[in-house]
Amino acid sequence: MTAKSQVKINFEASFTEPQAHYVEMEMNISGLSKEYIDVKMPVWAPGSYLVREFAKNIEGFTASANGKPVRFEKVRKNAWRIYSAKAANVKINYRVYAFEVSVRTSFIDDSHAFLSSTGIFLYPDGMLKQPSTVKIKPFKGWEKVSTGLEPVAGQPFTYTAANFDVLFDSPIEVGNQDIFEFTASGVKHEVAMFGGGNYDKEKLKVDMAKIVDHATAIYGENPNKHYTFIVHNFFTGGGGLEHLNSTVLGASRNGYSDIKAYKGFLNLVAHEYYHLWNVKRLRPVALGPFDYDNENYTTSLWVAEGFTSYYENKLMYRSGFFTDQETAQNLATAITNVVNTPGAKIQTVAEASYDAWIKSYRPNENSNNATISYYSKGEVVGMLMDIEIANATKGAKNLDDVMKAMYDEYYKKLGRGYTDAEFKTMVEKISGISFTNFWKTYVNGTDPIDYVKYFGYAGIKVTNEHAGKNVPYLGLATKKLEGRVMITAVSRNSGSWIGGLNVNDEIISVDGNPVEAAVDKMPAITGKNVGDSVTFTIRRDGIVKDITIKLLAATSVKLTATVDENATDLQKAVRKGWLN
């Protein structure tokens, strides 16, 4: 068999029917003398923890060896076996249908092509470490390609990847996107804007550079030679996906002039950019090297994703986009969202991480009652841990020190991922105190969040506006559908839950009064008190029935945070050490 180092793998992507959402792929493998070659397509995209079965979009698969057609067969859902009879040159052709708008899936139409690499490129089984070359042949009228891949000198629209992990971590935008650049932390950053919009390039250059500089300052180095932001501006858009030296962001094309929406976009920039260190390099041990055929389970997504959600707040604060007061309130609101999720009392954040593959991306009508997001709970855990470290060290250390020490130890020194136990050990080393009870309470437990204590360490007062109020609460959500009022959600342990109202029940009347346009707010409890009964006449599976429920008191919280200007010197030191 020829040495793998002599194997060459080349791809060519072209577009003959972009209006029909297709890319034509040609893959050439040379220098590999085997009776047969298995080629595979990943079933998931790193950073998005769901098996998406990308192979379902492949059609028109053909293979030839030394210029002649050869036999092939599909040997599993995402793998094809090509009987090449030790031929030196094997060519594979296939088409990929791409018509799903998201930051993690490919989309092609007559205006542009977005190629999310895990759903586009095949790889020879067992050869993930092999380099490859990619040539893009833009459709007529398309003039630009944006990607984090390294360009090949002297060959337009041709790029090289050191291995398939790099290729799969490098999305490609093809079309006529608006491109501008800025330099921050010594790194050239390209911003590729598709879809138009009312953005101000000069303002974005300055504001995005601030985020880059503050993120880089945490780790003391920027791991990139160049970085690419691919931004898809739609009528309404959102979401982001991190990559090795690039990211894909979704945005609303006319939202840049609204201050809240603009800060929301910068929040997204901060989140995805911070991923350069947290998860793309410093990562849980289960997330590298990747198994592209199966789920990659870890209990630590609350660090990989949740902490990143938390750090977008710190980066926005440090970049000057939020004040102390605004930051405190933003974090209090994050706690509010977790406390008001019934599933937070059922599922731990470690379990949420492990079950991401089967629950997080496949929510149903009961998800809010049974699960918690490792993003939202992880954000809160990161904040509590950060304040705890700052308090234990009187403001001398914070979570930044933990993240940098982990990056230096496990990514740079050991070149591997970390375990949950290793992360806990580093937290204890930096803080000088035990975090065993913290882990038991907030990572592997579902105990209530002691937000008064933690905010108090930093001289921030938190009040619950709902405290002491005996407000009746139905515990259901409705939606008007074709003139009918339908139940869309029922909250755990509410009167509606206990009484037996169901999602998809049609509400005909409440206490004998017809339901007309009650969609956003159910007027059924007007004038009622906790303990009173309400009778719903509903239609379920065509059968009309009455269900009487007892109104219970609302248990939700609404937290308001206020920075205490009369805080003690220690509290001020903790606050400064925590945020700065």
Side-chain angles (χ1 to χ4, degrees):
M1 173 177 163
T2 306
K4 285 187 178 181
S5 60
Q6 297 176 350
V7 173
K8 292 185 178 180
I9 302 171
N10 301 310
F11 293 94
E12 183 175 285
S14 58
F15 308 89
T16 59
E17 294 184 300
Q19 84 289 348
H21 321 299
Y22 282 97
V23 57
E24 278 68 44
M25 297 299 301
E26 179 177 301
M27 179 183 189
N28 287 281
I29 307 171
S30 62
L32 188 62
S33 180
K34 297 180 67 177
E35 289 294 336
Y36 65 82
I37 300 171
D38 288 349
V39 292
K40 293 180 173 181
M41 176 166 277
V43 303
W44 70 288
S48 180
Y49 306 101
L50 175 70
V51 171
R52 297 182 183 275
E53 310 293 17
F54 294 121
K56 67 185 178 184
N57 294 317
I58 287 184
E59 59 184 75
F61 189 100
T62 62
S64 61
N66 291 339
K68 297 180 180 180
V70 294
R71 184 170 70 91
F72 65 89
E73 62 178 329
K74 201 168 186 180
V75 292
R76 59 168 287 163
K77 64 180 181 180
N78 66 322
W80 292 257
R81 179 163 293 171
I82 301 159
Y83 294 93
S84 50
K86 295 186 179 181
N89 298 287
V90 175
K91 183 171 76 171
I92 302 158
N93 291 92
Y94 58 98
R95 309 179 82 203
V96 181
Y97 180 74
F99 195 56
E100 183 177 353
V101 175
S102 83
V103 296
R104 63 193 70 87
T105 50
S106 299
F107 181 91
I108 301 167
D109 66 9
D110 59 1
S111 65
H112 80 129
F114 170 62
L115 306 181
S116 183
S117 299
T118 45
I120 297 294
F121 296 99
L122 299 171
Y123 70 95
D125 190 25
M127 301 183 68
L128 286 170
K129 294 183 179 180
Q130 283 295 119
S132 61
T133 300
V134 176
K135 181 178 182 180
I136 304 295
K137 297 181 68 176
F139 185 62
K140 60 182 180 181
W142 294 356
E143 299 178 351
K144 300 175 183 178
V145 174
S146 298
T147 180
L149 290 170
E150 296 297 326
V152 176
Q155 298 184 43
F157 303 143
T158 304
Y159 306 88
T160 183
N163 53 59
F164 277 91
D165 286 324
V166 170
L167 179 59
F168 291 148
D169 217 3
S170 302
I172 304 169
E173 176 72 21
V174 189
N176 293 309
Q177 58 272 23
D178 183 19
I179 296 174
F180 62 90
E181 297 178 351
F182 66 90
T183 298
S185 295
V187 177
K188 186 183 81 171
H189 293 72
E190 175 184 309
V191 183
M193 291 282 197
F194 165 78
N198 60 357
Y199 52 87
D200 181 333
K201 295 181 191 180
E202 297 308 313
K203 182 175 176 57
L204 280 173
K205 289 178 185 179
V206 173
D207 290 345
M208 293 172 76
K210 291 178 183 177
I211 292 170
V212 169
D213 286 339
H214 283 287
T216 303
I218 294 171
Y219 293 92
E221 65 177 25
N222 195 301
N224 296 312
K225 291 189 296 182
H226 55 86
Y227 188 91
T228 302
F229 292 94
I230 297 173
V231 185
H232 291 153
N233 294 303
F234 295 111
F235 180 69
T236 57
L241 188 63
E242 70 276 5
H243 294 284
L244 194 66
N245 66 340
S246 63
T247 187
V248 185
L249 309 177
S252 298
R253 65 170 62 96
N254 293 319
Y256 294 93
S257 59
D258 177 82
I259 186 63
K260 184 177 180 181
Y262 182 68
K263 287 185 178 181
F265 176 74
L266 293 179
N267 261 297
L268 183 60
V269 170
H271 182 104
E272 302 306 336
Y273 202 84
Y274 187 75
H275 268 312
L276 277 183
W277 298 270
N278 190 29
V279 95
K280 294 320 300 181
R281 288 162 179 85
L282 170 63
R283 59 176 59 167
V285 69
L287 297 183
F290 293 120
D291 176 354
Y292 293 104
D293 286 340
N294 303 287
E295 296 89 342
N296 292 220
Y297 294 103
T298 174
T299 56
S300 297
L301 291 179
W302 58 274
V303 176
E305 289 290 354
F307 279 25
T308 304
S309 292
Y310 171 59
Y311 264 94
E312 70 185 65
N313 294 293
K314 295 190 78 170
L315 292 175
M316 289 290 286
Y317 169 77
R318 291 172 180 176
S319 299
F321 302 122
F322 290 122
T323 63
D324 285 30
Q325 175 59 45
E326 288 173 320
T327 301
Q329 185 55 54
N330 288 340
L331 295 172
T333 300
I335 294 176
T336 298
N337 293 335
V338 171
V339 173
N340 289 343
T341 302
K345 299 177 182 178
I346 305 299
Q347 187 185 49
T348 72
V349 73
E351 291 171 338
S353 300
Y354 197 87
D355 283 344
W357 298 91
I358 59 173
K359 294 185 178 182
S360 181
Y361 289 91
R362 291 185 174 129
N364 61 25
E365 68 282 348
N366 197 47
S367 293
N368 198 53
N369 290 320
T371 66
I372 187 65
S373 165
Y374 51 82
Y375 283 89
S376 58
K377 181 66 179 291
E379 176 182 5
V380 170
V381 172
M383 176 186 63
L384 301 182
M385 187 180 293
D386 202 0
I387 298 175
E388 186 80 272
I389 296 168
N391 184 66
T393 62
K394 296 180 171 57
K397 301 285 186 180
N398 64 15
L399 192 57
D400 294 10
D401 297 286
V402 173
M403 301 305 288
K404 184 180 187 305
M406 290 292 293
Y407 175 80
D408 290 343
E409 179 70 14
Y410 292 97
Y411 171 68
K412 297 185 69 176
K413 180 180 175 182
L414 299 179
R416 66 169 177 84
Y418 60 86
T419 66
D420 189 63
E422 288 169 336
F423 193 88
K424 176 176 177 289
T425 297
M426 187 64 78
V427 173
E428 293 176 331
K429 178 181 178 181
I430 297 296
S431 66
I433 63 173
S434 171
F435 268 77
T436 296
N437 189 59
F438 185 98
W439 243 255
K440 180 181 178 181
T441 302
Y442 297 119
V443 177
N444 299 315
T446 58
D447 292 24
I449 298 167
D450 195 347
Y451 48 84
V452 173
K453 180 184 79 171
Y454 283 96
F455 273 115
Y457 287 155
I460 296 172
K461 295 180 179 179
V462 182
T463 56
N464 174 17
E465 293 183 21
H466 292 175
K469 296 180 180 180
N470 204 28
V471 179
Y473 172 60
L474 274 173
L476 57 80
T478 62
K479 180 179 182 180
K480 194 171 184 181
L481 183 65
E482 297 179 350
R484 300 181 298 163
V485 176
M486 310 297 294
I487 295 177
T488 57
V490 179
S491 295
R492 182 183 292 273
N493 295 330
S494 66
S496 296
W497 170 285
I498 296 169
L501 288 174
N502 289 181
V503 168
N504 296 328
D505 285 348
E506 176 191 354
I507 302 175
I508 299 172
S509 66
V510 182
D511 282 342
N513 299 308
V515 171
E516 296 176 351
V519 178
D520 297 322
K521 292 185 178 180
M522 182 65 63
I525 58 176
T526 302
K528 298 276 187 177
N529 298 310
V530 172
D532 289 349
S533 295
V534 180
T535 298
F536 286 78
T537 300
I538 59 102
R539 181 180 287 111
R540 182 184 297 167
D541 191 30
I543 299 173
V544 176
K545 62 190 297 186
D546 290 338
I547 294 179
T548 299
I549 71 166
K550 181 182 287 188
L551 291 174
L552 302 180
T555 59
S556 64
V557 303
K558 183 179 180 181
L559 302 183
T560 299
T562 305
V563 176
D564 185 2
E565 298 303 330
N566 296 316
T568 66
D569 289 342
L570 175 59
Q571 287 174 319
K572 291 178 180 178
V574 170
R575 187 194 311 157
K576 183 177 181 180
W578 161 40
L579 290 175
N580 294 332

